[in-house]
């Protein structure tokens, strides 16, 4: 590990420190503090590795891996396995009131930190996937930055904040600087393993990004459809209520006098029970006075007897339409006499085509309407706002964190357009969010890592096989060379290097091999005055003459089934099995004459000649010394009698030894 790597790694503490103390007085959220803390512990573990404390570093990494694996499990496990409430309950055990989403690091940051932890524990070894782990961590961090820079607020937090990302980036830089020198030594095998693995990683990231967007888009559409259905259901209910109110108004056309309070209460009770959002149902006489009201609550009794033309100018036009024009009148959203915003419908009670007994006033209190509407929705998981023209009429906000998505539905409250805004809680959407994109990402990265290990192992084995094959090839070549050398050594041990004839040893072996054959003849041939050739013509000429004599002798002797060998110096010998004395003498004389005819000359022009001694073993055991001595004696006589002649020793009969 280089000093530069240690320096770069230690720099990761800078963003960690800045993030923990806060910049500009802003305290980072808890999940950012957790991320910074985990990144700082990994930085500490890397420094321990650089200083040689590997056991302690692995202990720190084990501590870091526990919350990271819990966070990863919470992202991947489906809701029906472990519910969000269960995760929150476990979080409550750590700190009262704390939720999973409050402390859990972002998804891509969690994966990056896990990869860094594995990278530190494996000492960035290429055989254990170090290069791929580092590049995957960098790609995940880069993907997180792209998601953070994208438009819109993501439902699932994938990227950490600025200081956490900077701390992780510096840590990755230090790891890469420390590991690159070792990786360069295995550049070719690394490339062969990295290219397919990184291709798979990029494909997995693209697939995860696509699945994440599709699932969030589908969930967004589902929640929007639910909001529209809620608005449509309530609009239908209001329409049903108006139809019922028209029937209620028609009841009083059967009477010629205004209803009594008892009659009014008896009929209104049935309608008010079905439509709880009605503030009251009132009877308005032709003078626009409220003479009957139901329910007789304190707030309603306060307005009893009020003349609407005077007390409620905003609704004067609607009242006049019912009393004088005999048409249904409807106000916009106005402030009611009870002090709350609402909408009033006036339905005329006709006596005949010109006279009006009065009008039925259906007063819809918007707070009560909103309460009725909101009661149909889980108030713990949805934020609701009822508004008109930007004016908030009623709202309900849960205690939990709301999601970044807001859906709006148009309400038609008897002709009055209202806007219902539905904003689900973040926890509710996380519960409904499919987990398969995260599972795809985790599975894909795991498969890419396994693919790298397989390819890298296969590459190493292939390289080792090539080395073994090359070594075997060299070894076989060496064995062949040694065999050839051994054969050559063995050949030289039994042959004469100059004449390529068998030497004395092989001649002796031939005698031993033919020891039982009779007759057995032996020749000894010696070149006459050979020393003068070397002295006057040089050793090269002498060697050439010897080679020529060897060729003559070999052709002649081997044609008779014998062996012609160089005995030493200018002496040659022949072994002739199954050749009798007469025939041996003829062969020897032929050899003498062929040498004479070869026209090999001395320096003075005389022809090269040879003297030959011949002996034949007729009977008895083989005694090499006796045979060779007899042949040598015959050779001596040939030289003594003038050379260039053949002399035969008497046939040998060697007595058996006792």
């Amino acid at each position: 590990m280089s000093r530069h790597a240690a320096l770069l790694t230690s720099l990761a503490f800078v963003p960690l420190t800045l993030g923990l103390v806060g910049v500009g007085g802003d305290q980072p959220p808890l999940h950012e503090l957790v991320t910074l803390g985990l990144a700082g512990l990994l930085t500490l573990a890397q420094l321990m590795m650089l200083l040689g404390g590997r056991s302690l570093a692995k202990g720190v990494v084990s501590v870091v891996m526990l919350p990271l694996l819990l966070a990863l499990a919470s992202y991947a496990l489906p809701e029906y396995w472990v519910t969000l409430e269960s995760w929150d309950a476990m979080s409550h055990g750590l700190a009262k009131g704390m939720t999973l989403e409050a402390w859990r690091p972002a998804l891509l940051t969690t994966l990056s930190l896990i990869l860094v932890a594995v990278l530190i524990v494996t000492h960035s070894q290429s055989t254990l996937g170090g290069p791929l782990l580092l590049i995957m961590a960098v790609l995940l961090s880069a993907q997180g930055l792209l998601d953070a820079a994208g438009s819109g607020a993501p439902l699932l937090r994938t990227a950490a904040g600025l200081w956490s990302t900077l701390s992780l980036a510096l840590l990755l830089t230090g790891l890469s600087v420390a590991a690159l020198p070792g990786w360069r030594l295995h550049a070719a095998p690394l490339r062969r393993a990295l290219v397919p693995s990184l291709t798979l990683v990029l494909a997995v990231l693209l697939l995860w990004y696509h699945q994440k967007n599709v699932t969030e888009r589908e969930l967004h559409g589902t929640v929007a459809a639910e909001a529209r259905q809620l608005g449509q259901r309530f609009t239908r209910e209001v329409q049903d209520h108006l139809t019922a109110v028209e029937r209620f108004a028609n009841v009083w056309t059967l009477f010629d006098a205004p209803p009594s309070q008892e009659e009014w209460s008896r009929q209104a009770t049935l309608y008010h029970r079905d439509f709880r959002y009605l503030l009251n149902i009132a009877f308005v006489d032709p003078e626009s006075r409220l003479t009957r009201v139901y329910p007789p609550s304190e707030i309603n009794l306060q307005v009893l007897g009020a003349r609407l033309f005077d007390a409620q100018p905003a609704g004067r036009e609607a009242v006049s339409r019912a009393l004088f024009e005999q048409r249904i009148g409807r106000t916009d959203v106005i402030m009611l006499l009870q002090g709350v915003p609402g909408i009033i419908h006036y339905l005329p009670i006709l006596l005949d085509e010109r006279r009006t007994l009065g009008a039925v006033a259906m007063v819809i209190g918007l707070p009560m309407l909103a309460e009725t509407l909101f009661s149909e929705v889980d108030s713990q998981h949805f934020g609701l706002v009822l508004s008109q023209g930007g004016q908030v009429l009623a709202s309900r906000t849960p205690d939990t964190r709301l999601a970044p998505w807001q859906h709006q539905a148009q309400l038609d409250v008897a002709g009055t357009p209202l806007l219902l805004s539905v904003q689900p809680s973040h926890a509710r959407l996380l519960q409904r969010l499919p987990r398969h994109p995260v599972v795809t990402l985790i599975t894909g990265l795991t498969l890419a890592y396994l693919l790298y290990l397989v390819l890298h192992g296969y590459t190493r084995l292939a390289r080792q096989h090539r080395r073994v094959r090359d070594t075997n090839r060299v070894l076989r070549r060496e064995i062949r060379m040694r065999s050839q050398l051994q054969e050559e050594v063995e050949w030289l041990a039994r042959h004469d290097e100059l004449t390529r004839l068998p030497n004395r040893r092989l001649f002796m072996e031939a005698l031993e091999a033919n020891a039982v054959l009779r007759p057995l003849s032996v020749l000894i041939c010696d070149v006459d005055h050979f020393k003068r050739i070397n002295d006057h013509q040089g050793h090269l000429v002498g060697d050439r003459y010897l080679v020529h004599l060897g060729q003559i002798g070999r052709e002649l002797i081997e044609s008779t089934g014998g062996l012609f060998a160089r005995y030493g110096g200018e002496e040659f010998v022949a072994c002739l099995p199954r050749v009798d004395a007469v025939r041996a003498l003829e062969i020897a004389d032929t050899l003498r004459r062929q040498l004479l005819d070869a026209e090999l000359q001395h320096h003075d022009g005389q022809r090269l000649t040879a003297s030959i001694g011949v002996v034949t073993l007729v009977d008895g055991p083989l005694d090499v010394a006796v045979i060779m001595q007899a042949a040598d004696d015959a050779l001596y006589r040939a030289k003594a009698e003038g050379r260039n002649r053949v002399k035969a020793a008497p046939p040998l009969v060697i007595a058996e030894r006792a």
Side-chain angles (χ1 to χ4, degrees):
M1 297 293 183
S2 64
R3 295 181 179 179
H4 298 292
L7 178 61
L8 287 172
T9 306
S10 62
L11 286 177
F13 281 110
V14 175
L16 171 64
T17 305
L18 292 176
L20 291 176
V21 301
V23 179
D26 295 332
Q27 183 68 23
L30 179 59
H31 61 83
E32 278 296 299
L33 294 178
V34 170
T35 303
L36 285 167
L38 295 176
L41 288 175
L42 289 178
T43 304
L44 182 62
Q46 174 62 7
L47 289 175
M48 292 177 181
M49 283 288 183
L50 295 173
L51 297 176
R54 294 186 175 182
S55 299
L56 189 57
K58 291 180 179 179
V60 174
V61 171
S62 300
V63 173
V64 172
M65 287 294 287
L66 178 60
L68 289 176
L69 292 177
L70 285 175
L72 187 62
S74 68
Y75 280 114
L77 295 180
E79 180 71 14
Y80 57 84
W81 282 17
V82 183
T83 63
L84 186 60
E85 287 79 4
S86 300
W87 288 111
D88 287 340
M90 286 187 281
S91 301
H92 294 334
L94 299 176
K96 185 177 180 181
M98 185 170 65
T99 62
L100 171 68
E101 192 65 15
W103 69 266
R104 181 173 64 175
L107 171 61
L108 299 181
T109 304
T110 299
L111 288 171
S112 298
L113 291 174
I114 291 176
L115 294 175
V116 170
V118 176
L119 190 63
I120 292 174
V121 170
T122 57
H123 314 301
S124 306
Q125 294 182 15
S126 60
T127 55
L128 298 178
L132 182 66
L133 292 172
L134 180 64
I135 296 176
M136 284 197 299
V138 172
L139 290 176
L140 289 172
S141 301
Q143 180 64 50
L145 291 176
L146 292 176
D147 288 352
S151 59
L155 177 60
L156 191 66
R157 187 169 60 243
T158 57
L162 173 62
W163 299 112
S164 299
T165 303
L166 182 58
S167 179
L168 182 59
L170 289 176
L171 179 56
L172 290 172
T173 302
L175 288 169
S176 62
V177 171
L180 277 178
W183 293 345
R184 288 196 187 100
L185 300 177
H186 310 283
L190 284 181
R191 282 196 300 270
R192 285 192 287 269
L194 274 177
V195 171
S197 303
L198 285 179
T199 302
L200 179 57
V201 170
L202 293 175
V204 168
L205 284 175
L206 290 175
L207 179 59
W208 165 79
Y209 187 75
H210 172 71
Q211 287 183 338
K212 178 180 75 74
N213 290 339
V214 169
T215 53
E216 289 189 0
R217 190 161 54 245
E218 289 177 350
L219 182 59
H220 188 280
T222 300
V223 177
E226 291 175 354
R228 289 194 299 271
Q229 291 174 1
L230 178 63
Q232 292 169 1
R233 185 169 67 250
F234 196 78
T235 297
R236 287 195 301 269
E237 184 176 346
V238 172
Q239 295 297 334
D240 294 342
H241 133 259
L242 286 178
T243 303
V245 169
E246 290 179 1
R247 291 197 301 270
F248 178 80
N250 291 334
V251 170
W252 304 110
T253 60
L254 303 176
F255 297 87
D256 294 333
S260 65
Q261 182 63 44
E262 182 181 357
E263 293 173 338
W264 188 260
S265 297
R266 186 171 56 251
Q267 294 293 331
T269 299
L270 302 175
Y271 290 89
H272 191 270
R273 183 179 56 198
D274 294 334
F275 304 102
R276 304 297 299 177
Y277 52 83
L278 293 178
L279 184 60
N280 62 60
I281 304 175
F283 177 77
V284 182
D285 65 12
E287 298 297 326
S288 77
R289 295 183 184 278
L290 293 173
T291 59
R292 302 288 184 267
V293 65
Y294 184 85
S297 61
E298 181 178 354
I299 191 173
N300 286 330
L301 292 177
Q302 291 177 0
V303 301
L304 192 61
R307 189 172 183 272
L308 296 180
F309 285 155
D310 300 328
Q312 198 173 57
R316 184 178 300 164
E317 181 180 352
V319 175
S320 298
R321 184 177 297 114
L323 294 177
F324 304 129
E325 300 178 14
Q326 297 186 343
R327 293 186 300 164
I328 297 177
R330 181 185 68 242
T331 67
D332 293 329
V333 177
I334 62 174
M335 186 60 66
L336 302 177
L337 297 179
Q338 290 85 350
V340 295
I343 301 171
I344 305 175
H345 290 82
Y346 295 101
L347 291 84
I349 302 175
L350 305 179
L351 292 176
D352 53 36
E353 294 181 357
R354 292 186 178 182
R355 291 184 303 154
T356 302
L357 180 63
V360 177
M362 292 291 186
V363 183
I364 302 175
L366 291 179
M368 298 178 66
L369 173 65
E371 184 65 29
T372 303
L373 179 63
F374 296 167
S375 64
E376 299 185 10
V377 181
D378 187 357
S379 59
Q380 295 299 319
H381 294 96
F382 287 94
L384 302 169
V385 177
L386 186 66
S387 61
Q388 184 191 44
Q391 178 185 2
V392 177
L393 303 176
S395 65
R396 175 183 292 177
T397 303
D399 296 333
T400 59
R401 173 192 170 193
L402 294 179
W405 301 346
Q406 188 177 65
H407 309 280
Q408 296 179 336
Q410 292 290 337
L411 301 183
D412 184 359
V413 182
T416 301
L418 299 180
L419 186 64
L420 175 65
S421 298
V422 180
Q423 191 171 8
S425 69
H426 193 264
R428 180 61 177 271
L429 291 184
L430 287 181
Q431 288 175 330
R432 301 176 64 180
L433 186 66
R435 303 298 198 270
H436 63 268
V438 178
V439 174
T440 298
L441 180 60
I442 297 173
T443 305
L445 295 180
T446 304
L447 290 177
Y449 180 67
L450 294 177
L451 176 63
Y452 173 88
L453 294 181
V454 171
L455 292 177
H456 193 274
Y458 175 79
T459 303
R460 291 182 63 200
L461 288 176
R463 188 168 65 253
Q464 292 175 359
H465 286 323
R466 285 195 300 271
R467 289 177 179 174
V468 171
R469 190 168 56 249
D470 294 341
T471 302
N472 288 337
R473 187 183 300 112
V474 173
L475 182 60
R476 286 194 298 269
R477 185 168 60 249
E478 183 70 19
I479 291 174
R480 285 195 301 269
M481 292 176 61
R482 287 179 178 270
S483 298
Q484 293 172 358
L485 182 61
Q486 180 67 25
E487 292 175 358
E488 184 176 353
V489 170
E490 292 178 358
W491 187 89
L492 289 174
R494 304 172 70 191
H495 291 79
D496 176 57
E497 187 175 5
L498 175 63
T499 62
R500 315 300 289 178
L501 293 174
N503 60 10
R504 180 173 182 170
R505 175 182 294 180
L506 186 55
F507 171 75
M508 294 299 180
E509 292 177 358
L511 287 178
E512 294 292 340
N514 296 285
V516 298
L517 298 179
R518 300 291 181 272
L520 177 64
S521 298
V522 173
L523 309 181
I524 296 182
C525 174
D526 185 81
V527 179
D528 296 331
H529 305 295
F530 186 75
K531 185 176 182 300
R532 288 189 295 178
I533 296 174
N534 289 333
D535 293 342
H536 294 281
Q537 295 177 274
H539 287 277
L540 291 179
V541 174
D543 290 345
R544 181 166 58 84
Y545 285 2
L546 291 176
V547 171
H548 196 83
L549 175 59
Q551 292 175 349
I552 295 173
R554 167 174 280 181
E555 292 175 358
L556 175 63
I557 300 302
E558 288 183 357
S559 65
T560 62
L563 175 74
F564 191 71
R566 185 181 181 188
Y567 199 65
E570 66 274 14
E571 286 188 339
F572 293 85
V573 292
C575 175
L576 297 170
R578 297 188 186 277
V579 175
D580 58 18
V582 176
R583 177 63 179 153
L585 193 62
E586 293 175 353
I587 293 173
D589 192 60
T590 301
L591 175 62
R592 181 190 65 78
R593 286 186 284 103
Q594 287 183 355
L595 177 62
L596 185 64
D597 295 340
E599 297 184 354
L600 303 177
Q601 298 178 353
H602 288 273
H603 68 285
D604 56 2
Q606 294 183 6
R607 292 186 178 184
L608 184 69
T609 61
S611 300
I612 302 174
V614 181
V615 66
T616 300
L617 177 62
V618 177
D619 195 13
L622 175 67
D623 190 333
V624 175
V626 173
I627 293 176
M628 296 304 296
Q629 183 62 47
D632 193 60
D633 290 343
L635 174 63
Y636 179 78
R637 290 200 309 272
K639 287 184 174 291
E641 294 180 7
R643 294 183 173 84
N644 189 24
R645 64 193 65 228
V646 177
K647 288 295 181 178
L652 285 177
V653 176
I654 301 176
E656 295 285 346
R657 294 180 182 179

